[in-house]
Each structure stands twice: as C-alpha cells, then as structure tokens.
Amino acid sequence: MAEHYLFLTGHLARSRLERLLGEMADPPFSYEIVDIGVKVAALMSEEIILRRLQGPAADRIILPGRFRGDLDRLSQHFGIPFDRGPDEIADLPAFLGRAGKPVDLTRHNMRIFAEIVDASAMSVEALTERALHYARAGADVIDIGCLPDTPFPHLAEAVQTLKGNGLSVSVDSANVEELRVGARAGADYLLSLTEETIDIALDHGAVPILIPALAGDLDSLGRAIDAALKSGISFIADPVLDPIHFGFAASLGRFLEARRRWPDVPMMMGTGNLTELTDADSSGMTAMLTGICSELSIENVLVVNVSPHTIRTVEEHDRARRIMYAAKADNALPRGYDSALLQVHDRKPYPHSLDDIDALAADVRDGNYRIMTAPDGIHVFNAKTHRVARDAFELFPHLGVENDGGHAFYLGSELTKAETAWKLGKRYTQDEPLQWGAAAPEKEADRLRLKEAGHTLKARKDTTN
C-alpha cells in the first residue's frame, strides 16, 4: 500500500502547496494538508504542533524546511516520523521524488590529496596550520610539495609533525633523496615514482604513486605496475592529466586506456593542471573531473591551491565526490543532489511564480515590506503598494523610509542583495544570505531555534519602547 503523507503548513502557503501537490503526476503516496493555524508556515513551533495537531493518521508528517524545532520530540510524541522538507515549496517535487528522504551525502569512496606546493619555503608551524585547514576542508592526505633545486632541511621534521597531529602525509618530489628522507620520517605515500625509482618504495613502507617514466608512455607505467604487483606492495597509478592545449584530450584518452588495461588497479588523477591553469571557475571543472573519476573508479585525486581563484578547491572536491558517489549509487545523473557546486547561478532561481507573488501580495494586511524576485525583476510589496523594478535604486523613492534610517538601511541591503541575485540568476530569500555553495560555506543553521531578530529590527523595537 502507498504511504500516506501529512503536510503541515500555514495560511499563506496552503493554496500553493495544494496546487503543487495536485500537479504531481501519479505520486507514489496519498496525502492530506493541514493548516496548523499560523500565517507563516515557518513560524509554527513545537508547542503549536503539540497543542493543535489532533490524532494525525499518517505514515509520515512533512514540515516546512525552515521549521525550527526538535523533530525527534515530535516523532516520539505522536508515534509518527516527522521530516523537514525543503526550504522552498518549489523544491518539494524533487524532495518527494526521493521518497521524501534527504539526500545522503555522508558517503564517498574518493581520497583527496591536498598538495602544499611551497612547503619547503614554509616553517613547520605555518605548514601545520595550512595542513590542518585542508584537513578540516575535507582533505584525507596532506601532500608535502618539494620545489626543484630548493633545500628542504626540515622535511623530516615536517612529516613527523604532521603525523603527530594525526594526519596522513605524502611527500611529492622529483628528488630521490628527498623521497627517501620523507619515507624514513614516516610518510604514508610517495609522489611520484617510476619504473626507475620504484625501489625507494620497496625499501620503505610508504605507498608509491606510480607515473610513466616518459610523458604519456603507458607502457613504462605498466612496467612499474608489474614491478609493484610482483613485489606485493600497495600502490596507486597516475597516467597524469595534462593542461588544455598541452595534451589534455590525449591525457584523458590515457586514463581510459589505463583503466581498460588495468581494470582493478587503484588510480589517481591530479586535477590541478586544469583547475589551476584555466581561467574559469573551478567548481564546474571539478564536477566534470570527479565525474570522470567516478565513471572510471578512480578513487584518489590530487588537488592544488596556488591561484587565488582555486581557494576553495578542497571543499569543492569534497562535495563533488559525495555528489558523484550518491548519483552513481542511484544510477542517476548528478543532478538535484546538492547545489554546492552551483555557485554563480541556480537551477531554479525563482521559487515563486508571478501568480504566487500576486496572490501573496493580495493577502498581505500590514505595512511590512516583502521582497521577492521573479523573471521580470524585483518585487517589493506590502498592504499599500506592490512595485517591480530591475534596479534597486528605482524602488527606493517609493518606499517612504526617508526618515527611518534603520529601516532604510535594511531595505537597501536586502534590495541590493535581491538585485545581485536577479542579475546572476540566483535564488533570493528575504533575510537570508545568498548561497554561494562551496565557494563561501555558511555556518550550519540551528534547526532547533528560530533566528534572532536582526540589528535593524532590534533598533526599531528599542526606539518604540
């Protein structure tokens, strides 16, 4: 039998929720909608639900995404699972398309090596601080980069200090002696060895990352792989990804051929030659490259942040690997799982249609301004007026706040944010920060408490007391 869902909402959202659910084609559940008796759905509280919800008969109860309260307490009280839906009603069909369950992004099978390229020029203290930052961002291994013809007298100390902080460490050098120093100091991985230098790994316990002895020569990579297999040591093979216009397309072919030749060999892809050496936002390239890794079962990536435009590359790779893992597990496109890599634009920038906005504006009975965006521009309305513009400055003369500094500042800030969102095709929500995904992570919201009043609202209350 199909499950029966109960949706709790408020006065203003009820008609839109009814229309949206009614438009769903053959939903795999039956449902009913309960207006809990508040104007704005997100303002319902645990106590309101406990007092007003009488004898619900449902398999699951869906609350608005912005509900702040303890779901476990409600579930235990009524004996029915309570879930938060998405923040916006427009996203409800995608949520319900996954049987009403939030996407699980806790899982992945990809190891991130975060390289500190200029490690030899850093003090051990500065290196440790950078390494811990990368680890918090999602890195699994800290890669200590050694520069050519640059002394690194504190390499062993650096490896031991990072290990002492509980970090996995790799040493990345073209200098055989530096690789030996790193291995003796306890490095977990060595980058990058060839058929000519694999003996270093045989003499120590570190796992070698193997590359071709000559650029693009998969046969030499194969001989290194054979030597590692014969010796019975663990290893990772990297056919090496080249930059655009310097062999990029051919190097992609090498990864395909390498996986064909060695279907079960652990592999690595270094993404920095694309993210660092291309003037384009790195999030899209990261999504594409981790998608290739997901298809080819490449479970190790080496990431680099040298250019300022890749400052969030570890966070982007961390989120990308989770999205790709979830999509692959579902045998689905990597679409609709998470918006962390949609940093400049949103797939659904306008959660409210013009009809929705008009209906909401018609129901408003107070003087507080609501701000929304739609394809035609920025909408500002209250009980007395409803104006639309594409430039925030065009709206200000009509708002009547010339003598209210706090309110003017608030509206100016919100309208500027709305204009930015409208121009970029991003989603705007009044009183909420714009979402930039992994490019500028926000603190996780406290889902148990309502947000405190903002500074301008506090100031207005103070002046009226």
Side-chain angles (χ1 to χ4, degrees):
M1 268 183 83
E3 286 191 307
H4 185 68
Y5 292 179
L6 189 152
F7 294 86
L8 295 189
T9 190
H11 302 331
L12 294 180
R14 175 163 189 157
S15 61
R16 186 167 181 230
L17 180 60
E18 288 175 340
R19 184 169 69 253
L20 185 144
L21 290 173
E23 291 172 351
M24 289 185 65
D26 299 321
F29 54 85
S30 59
Y31 67 88
E32 63 179 302
I33 298 170
V34 171
D35 183 340
I36 203 65
V38 296
K39 189 172 185 180
V40 179
L43 296 182
M44 72 176 75
S45 65
E46 288 178 47
E47 299 307 322
I48 288 176
I49 295 173
L50 290 169
R51 288 198 313 269
R52 299 181 183 177
L53 187 60
Q54 302 295 322
D59 296 297
R60 301 178 65 203
I61 297 178
I62 312 294
L63 295 170
R66 293 192 177 91
F67 169 77
R68 297 296 186 262
D70 189 337
L71 298 184
D72 290 338
R73 180 188 176 200
L74 293 172
S75 298
Q76 291 173 8
H77 177 85
F78 290 101
I80 301 170
F82 276 68
D83 291 312
R84 274 188 193 85
D87 285 354
E88 300 290 350
I89 291 179
D91 299 323
L92 195 56
F95 174 86
L96 295 172
R98 301 187 188 283
K101 296 181 180 179
V103 175
D104 181 6
L105 294 178
T106 63
R107 301 176 298 162
H108 66 82
N109 61 350
M110 191 177 292
R111 186 185 293 115
I112 295 176
F113 289 67
E115 182 177 2
I116 302 177
V117 175
D118 54 347
S120 59
M122 301 173 69
S123 68
V124 173
E125 293 75 16
L127 180 60
T128 302
E129 183 179 354
R130 178 89 62 84
L132 291 172
H133 168 75
Y134 283 161
R136 289 190 295 269
D140 303 291
V141 181
I142 303 303
D143 184 50
I144 299 177
C146 303
L147 297 172
D149 303 319
T150 303
F152 200 160
H154 53 298
L155 174 57
E157 182 186 0
V159 172
Q160 292 164 355
T161 300
L162 296 187
K163 293 287 292 180
N165 278 273
L167 301 172
S168 293
V169 179
S170 59
V171 173
D172 191 345
S173 179
N175 185 307
V176 170
E177 187 52 38
E178 285 180 333
L179 292 172
R180 288 198 174 99
V181 169
R184 286 195 294 266
D188 302 282
Y189 302 89
L190 297 177
L191 284 79
S192 301
L193 304 185
T194 68
E195 61 177 320
E196 298 166 357
T197 56
I198 193 173
D199 287 347
I200 300 172
L202 302 181
D203 296 338
H204 304 280
V207 175
I209 282 70
L210 305 176
I211 63 172
L214 297 173
D217 183 6
L218 281 185
D219 291 338
S220 69
L221 177 60
R223 290 190 291 271
I225 290 172
D226 290 341
L229 291 172
K230 184 177 179 180
S231 301
I233 63 170
S234 298
F235 66 93
I236 299 170
D238 180 2
V240 182
L241 189 71
D242 292 322
I244 293 172
H245 296 151
F246 291 86
F248 169 62
S251 67
L252 282 180
R254 284 199 302 274
F255 275 90
L256 291 167
E257 174 62 15
R259 181 47 83 210
R260 186 191 68 79
R261 291 190 191 185
W262 305 293
D264 301 318
V265 161
M267 287 175 60
M268 169 182 279
M269 177 183 287
T271 60
N273 275 346
L274 225 63
T275 58
E276 286 285 320
L277 303 179
T278 310
D279 277 349
D281 289 335
S282 56
S283 58
M285 286 184 285
T286 296
M288 179 187 69
L289 294 175
T290 53
I292 292 171
C293 289
S294 181
E295 283 203 8
L296 297 179
S297 297
I298 297 171
E299 298 182 348
N300 302 274
V301 290
L302 175 65
V303 308
V304 186
N305 164 223
V306 177
S307 172
H309 86 285
T310 64
I311 190 170
R312 298 289 182 185
T313 188
V314 176
E315 291 90 340
E316 290 169 356
H317 281 80
D318 177 49
R319 192 54 66 95
R321 64 180 172 176
R322 298 170 189 276
I323 293 169
M324 296 304 166
Y325 183 92
K328 189 174 184 177
D330 289 344
N331 193 30
L333 295 169
R335 190 169 185 266
Y337 283 86
D338 186 66
S339 59
L341 302 179
L342 287 168
Q343 296 170 1
V344 180
H345 313 292
D346 282 328
R347 284 184 55 233
K348 295 181 179 180
Y350 309 116
H352 308 284
S353 68
L354 292 176
D355 288 341
D356 293 331
I357 295 175
D358 287 341
L360 183 58
D363 286 339
V364 171
R365 298 290 182 266
D366 57 60
N368 295 323
Y369 284 107
R370 279 73 166 176
I371 305 172
M372 294 181 173
T373 58
D376 63 339
I378 309 161
H379 289 247
V380 182
F381 56 90
N382 61 12
K384 296 181 179 179
T385 186
H386 182 171
R387 294 187 175 273
V388 185
R390 299 183 175 187
D391 183 335
F393 284 98
E394 294 179 12
L395 294 164
F396 190 79
H398 308 288
L399 301 179
V401 291
E402 295 84 354
N403 299 317
D404 187 346
H407 200 191
F409 180 87
Y410 164 77
L411 288 173
S413 174
E414 283 297 316
L415 289 172
T416 299
K417 190 171 63 177
E419 181 181 333
T420 299
W422 181 80
K423 286 181 175 178
L424 291 176
K426 290 189 65 63
R427 180 171 292 188
Y428 166 81
T429 302
Q430 189 171 356
D431 295 326
E432 297 289 340
L434 296 182
Q435 297 299 308
W436 303 103
E442 294 289 333
K443 291 183 179 179
E444 187 171 347
D446 185 347
R447 295 287 187 169
L448 298 181
R449 296 175 179 84
L450 292 173
K451 293 178 64 174
E452 293 185 4
H455 295 294
T456 56
L457 182 56
K458 287 179 180 177
R460 294 183 73 199
K461 287 182 176 179
D462 290 342
T463 59
T464 57
N465 287 339

